[in-house]
Amino acid sequence: RVEVNNQQKRFQRDQHIFYDDTYFIALDFEEVQKKGRMQIEYRRDFFHPAFLPGKLFVHHLPCRRSIFRWIVNPDIQMEFRVFNDPEGELEYREYTHQGKNVYEWTAREIETPTMEFNAPPLRAIHPFVAGFIKSYQIEGETIEYMGRPEQLGNIYEDFYLRATTDPTPEMKSLVERFKEETTQTDELVKRAFYWVQDNIRYIAFEDGLRGLIPFDASTVCDQRYGDCKDMSILLVALLKHAGIPAFPAWIGTRDIPQNYSDLPTPAVDNHMIAVYQNEEGEWIFLDPTSNYTPLGIPSSMIQGKEALIRTGNGEFTVAKVPFVSHEKNSRMSKISAQLNGRTLIGTGEVKFTGYPKINNS
């Protein structure tokens, strides 16, 4: 038996995130031999009951057996959702142990997945189990907690309302300038949307609850940077000051295959946008983090996803982001060339529309 003595604390680094307080512990297993057994035990404390982990039954190494086990007090009612297990290959057990309810899934002989470019995310292919607290009892009273998107919205609202949308003199001046340029609602929205795109730099922060709580809209406007929720709260504030009903919306990118209708927990979202409803009653999805995206076209990474829209205090609705028709996405090339002796002379022209235009801007 050889104890692990060399442990190093390393911070998570991601090229898309400016700062992330997440860190991991690197362990060196010494004297590893054939048929030897490596064992690691650790504990994670979750300080908010909505942010419970799920389990993806796939590993970077072949695995003989993987167990996902919940041990729950009897006054807590859990609900679990199982994805990508049509043949029922996961072994499920439910039993009681020392007065507590135990829920257990076991997968055996797990092969290492083959990663391919543009392949679907792992959570769309391999077995995935997620759970949440449906209700709990206190002094004989049953309290409903999660299970519907509106209940998740109420949890998010607590974080969102810690920031303010009160306009500063600069924000008021911006809105007045927009109104001088146009009186059309769609044009006002366009000017505010493009202004945030052009003037607020996207910088991602994941520092504790800062990953959930936005800066005040005034702070974002003053400092000229922020992440998705910061840019969205500023855009919502500008539109509201212009008299246009705009709303924040939580959403998951296409890297996450599940939607709120599948799993109403924080496991299905990682992004925030702004939304407004036009005169025809259509939801228009505004993602200010996507530079050069024109008004009316959602960013490519949220197509087909469900947005959880906060329409008022304690009021939420779920709307699906439409797919952009392939007819709006094109790349057209034109080359004119001729031989002048042994020299090829010519000109070229490339025209992009839709997402190719955005990606090549």
Side-chain angles (χ1 to χ4, degrees), residues 11 21 38 72 81 94 96 99 104 115 158 170 173 185 193 241 266 275 287 338:
F11 281 89
D21 66 339
M38 294 182 292
V72 184
R81 306 281 173 89
E94 183 178 331
T96 58
E104 182 180 287
M115 305 300 294
D158 174 57
E170 181 185 8
S173 176
T185 299
F193 179 44
H241 185 64
V275 179
D287 186 353
Q338 61 182 4

Side-chain angles (χ1 to χ4, degrees), residues 207-322:
D207 186 7
L209 287 180
R210 251 297 293 158
L212 298 165
I213 301 172
F215 283 128
D216 294 339
S218 58
T219 302
V220 183
C221 187
D222 291 341
Q223 66 190 12
R224 290 295 201 266
Y225 69 81
D227 58 17
C228 60
K229 58 187 176 297
D230 301 321
M231 299 174 77
S232 295
I233 198 173
L234 173 59
L235 179 56
V236 167
L238 291 173
L239 294 178
K240 282 188 174 181
H241 185 64
I244 300 171
F247 315 98
W250 293 265
I251 195 169
T253 61
R254 290 165 60 84
D255 294 331
I256 302 176
Q258 286 79 31
N259 274 314
Y260 294 108
S261 54
D262 306 316
L263 183 65
T265 76
V268 302
D269 56 48
N270 58 355
H271 193 38
M272 178 176 272
I273 60 175
V275 179
Y276 95 100
Q277 204 166 19
N278 65 16
E279 296 178 353
E280 288 74 34
E282 300 174 318
W283 291 112
I284 305 299
F285 302 93
L286 310 171
D287 186 353
T289 68
S290 180
N291 291 336
Y292 311 114
T293 302
L295 181 71
I297 295 183
S299 56
S300 60
M301 62 184 178
I302 63 172
Q303 292 181 97
K305 299 292 293 183
E306 289 178 351
L308 178 61
I309 307 170
R310 180 183 181 271
T311 56
N313 292 332
E315 298 178 354
F316 301 88
T317 188
V318 175
K320 191 170 185 178
V321 179

Side-chain angles (χ1 to χ4, degrees), residues 95-116:
Y95 56 95
T96 58
H97 178 69
Q98 297 181 349
K100 296 186 178 181
N101 299 326
V102 182
Y103 311 92
E104 182 180 287
W105 288 263
T106 302
R108 301 181 187 274
E109 306 300 335
I110 304 174
E111 298 294 333
T112 304
T114 300
M115 305 300 294
E116 297 183 4

